[in-house]
Amino acid sequence: MNYKKLISAISDELKVLEDKGKVASYIPELKKIDPGKFGLHIATVDNKSYGLGDYNEKFSIQSISKVLALTLAFKIDDNKLWDRVDVEPSGTPFNSMIQLEYEKGIPRNPLINAGALVLCDVLVSHLKNPREEFIEFLRNISGDPNIDYCYKIFESEKQTGFRNAALINLMKSFGNIKNKIETVLDFYYHLCSIEMSCKELSQVFLYLAAKGVHPATKIEVVSPSKSKRINAIMQLCGFYDEAGEFAFTVGLPGKSGVGGGIVAIHPGEFSIAVWSPRLNKKGNSYKGMRILEFLTSKTESSIF
Ligand code: GLU
């Protein structure tokens, strides 16, 4: 693929693409972002790097960090993890409680809030200092010491996380949360508050494009089998209740966050991160989805 030509074609497409949707406002700190920001970065498995727009600017990766929590929890807990969280698409919003009640506290998948709270509970059970060890895990994967939490976002989420509190209490009532609710929630809000630029994000996620081994640092983050499964979960569950639409229009495994970021993987080829804060009605970046659709259509690089 000629990535330089591709970046220039995307740049032209951006000039005519409308930008619809609204910046997430239910977390007050997220409202402050300039809605006109746009960044895109591609990192390839042969360690090439291509960026466009605000690709070096850090933003709140929000739920994208759920994939990284899944990676560490799956690595530690192995297949025992699946006794406590399922791998099915939810078809409901990321913070929905309806399914959780009739499915007796077992979240549909690890990439919705309830599922990620279970991942956090697993990590709190196994790690001595979850906050420090988790951020170190990301810094080691990528070889990038600058990845960090944002305490303003953390505080903002903590003040307004009523639904997350409801989800975790419901799961605790079914026996699916082993640690203290406050400890697990605190760790969950830390995860949501991680900031990265498109460049950092695409580089961290490269291990999922290379069967679990990070091409730059050569670290085996997870086994090839686990890497394949994490990609499968992203494909089916990475876009709230719009995972079908993303598979249909873009055709890559990926994950979005309400900060307007999307990361997507082409196994064997590249990892791409896009950031545009205006979200569509389902909570995914409007422009991010359109640009990824343009990219895979133009280059015929959907995995299907
Ligand atoms: N911090 C957000 C929440 O818990 C995550 C939402 C998201 O990006 O999906 O509501």
Side-chain angles (χ1 to χ4, degrees), residues 257-268:
V258 295
I262 299 180
V263 75
I265 305 293
H266 190 119

Side-chain angles (χ1 to χ4, degrees), residues 33 37-40 54 57-59 198 259-261 273-277:
I33 197 74
K37 291 281 176 192
F38 180 89
L40 176 147
D54 305 308
E57 191 166 324
K58 286 182 187 281
F59 63 95
C198 289
V274 195
W275 171 48
S276 172

Side-chain angles (χ1 to χ4, degrees), residues 14 17-24 30 33-41 52-55 57 59-61 64 196-198 201 256-263 273-280 283-292:
L14 280 168
L17 188 69
E18 57 179 341
D19 194 6
K20 291 205 280 200
K22 287 201 177 110
V23 170
L30 289 182
I33 197 74
D34 171 358
K37 291 281 176 192
F38 180 89
L40 176 147
H41 191 270
L52 181 67
D54 305 308
Y55 68 90
E57 191 166 324
F59 63 95
S60 186
I61 72 166
I64 298 175
M196 286 190 217
S197 64
C198 289
L201 248 188
S256 66
V258 295
I262 299 180
V263 75
V274 195
W275 171 48
S276 172
R278 287 189 208 270
L279 309 179
N280 66 18
N284 295 308
S285 168
Y286 174 82
K287 228 179 192 176
M289 275 185 72
R290 293 285 75 84
I291 281 298
L292 288 169

Side-chain angles (χ1 to χ4, degrees), residues 14-202:
L14 280 168
K15 289 178 195 143
V16 293
L17 188 69
E18 57 179 341
D19 194 6
K20 291 205 280 200
K22 287 201 177 110
V23 170
S25 58
Y26 75 103
I27 300 169
E29 200 56 35
L30 289 182
K31 263 195 297 200
K32 297 184 181 166
I33 197 74
D34 171 358
K37 291 281 176 192
F38 180 89
L40 176 147
H41 191 270
I42 302 174
T44 68
V45 291
D46 53 357
N47 293 316
K48 302 232 169 57
S49 180
Y50 306 88
L52 181 67
D54 305 308
Y55 68 90
N56 268 319
E57 191 166 324
K58 286 182 187 281
F59 63 95
S60 186
I61 72 166
Q62 290 290 317
S63 273
I64 298 175
S65 65
K66 291 179 168 106
V67 179
L68 304 165
L70 169 63
T71 300
L72 189 55
F74 193 15
K75 193 177 166 86
I76 294 174
D77 216 22
D78 214 2
N79 288 325
K80 275 194 287 179
L81 187 60
W82 312 124
D83 296 338
R84 296 178 57 189
V85 56
D86 216 331
V87 293
E88 299 298 336
S90 69
T92 58
F94 62 95
N95 54 8
S96 167
M97 260 174 298
I98 299 166
Q99 267 167 351
L100 202 54
E101 165 74 6
Y102 65 75
E103 293 181 352
K104 304 201 170 5
I106 304 291
R108 268 288 166 114
N109 67 67
L111 301 184
I112 50 174
N113 287 14
L117 285 162
V118 170
L119 298 176
C120 288
D121 190 50
V122 168
L123 293 174
V124 165
S125 294
H126 285 92
L127 305 177
K128 229 169 153 194
N129 297 303
R131 251 179 288 168
E132 290 76 9
E133 289 175 53
F134 187 74
I135 209 78
E136 267 316 304
F137 171 66
L138 303 191
R139 290 173 182 160
N140 285 338
I141 296 178
S142 59
D144 183 345
N146 296 315
I147 296 170
D148 219 337
Y149 303 109
C150 166
Y151 282 92
K152 275 192 181 161
I153 300 270
F154 166 79
E155 277 303 330
S156 191
E157 295 228 28
K158 202 171 163 174
Q159 303 305 325
T160 53
F162 310 113
R163 289 191 80 89
N164 290 319
L167 289 168
I168 198 168
N169 275 282
L170 188 56
M171 289 191 289
K172 184 96 180 163
S173 77
F174 283 109
N176 199 15
I177 293 290
K178 313 294 176 198
N179 296 283
K180 271 176 65 184
I181 282 177
E182 300 70 47
T183 314
V184 180
L185 267 183
D186 181 90
F187 182 47
Y188 173 79
Y189 294 135
H190 273 88
L191 289 191
C192 298
S193 81
I194 293 172
E195 288 189 322
M196 286 190 217
S197 64
C198 289
K199 184 169 184 183
E200 290 167 332
L201 248 188
S202 60

Side-chain angles (χ1 to χ4, degrees), residues 191-235:
L191 289 191
C192 298
S193 81
I194 293 172
E195 288 189 322
M196 286 190 217
S197 64
C198 289
K199 184 169 184 183
E200 290 167 332
L201 248 188
S202 60
Q203 282 171 344
V204 169
F205 271 79
L206 256 184
Y207 67 96
L208 291 173
K211 299 192 172 169
V213 178
H214 198 284
T217 56
K218 308 283 180 238
I219 294 174
E220 184 179 271
V221 181
V222 277
S223 64
S225 153
K226 287 195 166 84
S227 172
K228 177 189 75 181
R229 290 188 172 154
I230 294 168
N231 275 315
I233 293 172
M234 285 202 294
Q235 184 74 61

